[in-house]
Amino acid sequence: MTIYSIKANLTNGEEISLGTYRGNVMLIVNTASKCGLTPQYEGIEHLYKKYKEDGFTVLGFPCNQFGGQEPGTNEEISSYCSINYNVTFPLFQKIDVNGEKVHPLYQYLRKQAPDGTELDKNSKLYHHLVKNYPHYLEGSAIRWNFTKFLVDQTGHVVKRYEPTVIPEELEHDIERLL
């Protein structure tokens, strides 16, 4: 299995093969509209606009598994992102990134990059996870909203970034791959 054999549905229901993005550098992000990290949409959109002509794309995958922070319908999510953050990168239907119903894409991503960048043990997020969701700190689990995966033009997962890594910090890695 390669990342290009995986399919997912856009928020409008259209099924897309990730093979559509073959040859592009991809940033794949699980997102949420009601999270303290939601303002990252702005930085992610900035990266998308800055590098899309160079063969870069962002794929957003809303997820409601972290504190119920993505309760809306797919249509509501799409509208919210457009109105509040001018999101123009592809947004997909809400999925699970952990657990029994994990989407095949996230099964693949977690297998290819089981560990992310170091999660700051002094951060509010780390303390929140230790107190409320310690199982998210185990194994290859996605820790929270806005975990990011950088994929090169050949479909190889290059790096996993924890949620607290802001989009601007990815710019050098993106440029290196383009």
Side-chain angles (χ1 to χ4, degrees), residues 1 5 15 20 22-23 33-34 39 66 75 94 115-116 121 124 130 134 163-164 172 177:
M1 177 203 274
S5 63
E15 184 179 70
T20 302
R22 185 183 306 271
S33 300
K34 309 253 185 250
F66 304 101
E75 295 77 23
K94 200 174 349 182
D115 297 314
K121 291 185 172 50
K124 289 180 185 178
V130 167
T164 54
H172 177 73
L177 292 176

Side-chain angles (χ1 to χ4, degrees), residues 2-15:
T2 71
I3 197 165
Y4 300 128
S5 63
I6 298 169
K7 295 179 181 179
N9 293 332
L10 293 167
T11 54
N12 67 6
E14 179 187 353
E15 184 179 70

Side-chain angles (χ1 to χ4, degrees), residues 80-94:
Y80 174 86
C81 291
S82 177
I83 291 168
N84 293 286
Y85 295 100
N86 298 311
V87 167
T88 59
F89 59 81
L91 279 174
F92 290 80
Q93 291 183 349
K94 200 174 349 182

Side-chain angles (χ1 to χ4, degrees), residues 43-170:
I44 293 167
E45 177 65 17
H46 173 76
L47 291 173
Y48 176 66
K49 285 182 177 173
K50 183 173 182 177
Y51 296 109
K52 70 179 181 178
E53 298 301 321
D54 298 323
F56 173 73
T57 195
V58 174
L59 307 179
F61 287 87
C63 178
N64 195 41
Q65 289 186 287
F66 304 101
Q69 296 178 341
E70 189 58 276
T73 65
N74 292 308
E75 295 77 23
E76 290 168 339
I77 294 165
S78 181
S79 177
Y80 174 86
C81 291
S82 177
I83 291 168
N84 293 286
Y85 295 100
N86 298 311
V87 167
T88 59
F89 59 81
L91 279 174
F92 290 80
Q93 291 183 349
K94 200 174 349 182
I95 63 166
D96 283 355
V97 298
N98 289 325
E100 293 178 15
K101 296 180 182 179
V102 62
H103 190 278
L105 173 61
Y106 275 80
Q107 288 176 349
Y108 179 83
L109 293 171
R110 290 173 50 192
K111 183 176 180 181
Q112 297 301 311
D115 297 314
T117 53
E118 186 68 26
L119 189 58
D120 180 0
K121 291 185 172 50
N122 294 318
S123 70
K124 289 180 185 178
L125 177 58
Y126 179 79
H127 291 288
H128 179 70
L129 293 174
V130 167
K131 181 179 178 184
N132 301 300
Y133 305 98
H135 57 286
Y136 289 156
L137 294 169
E138 299 171 1
S140 69
I142 301 299
R143 314 272 187 251
W144 205 253
N145 304 309
F146 292 91
T147 298
K148 303 158 198 73
F149 292 87
L150 188 60
V151 180
D152 70 13
Q153 294 96 332
T154 65
H156 178 273
V157 180
V158 175
K159 195 167 184 179
R160 173 178 170 166
Y161 305 88
E162 293 299 342
T164 54
V165 175
I166 60 173
E168 294 78 11
E169 294 178 50
L170 282 62

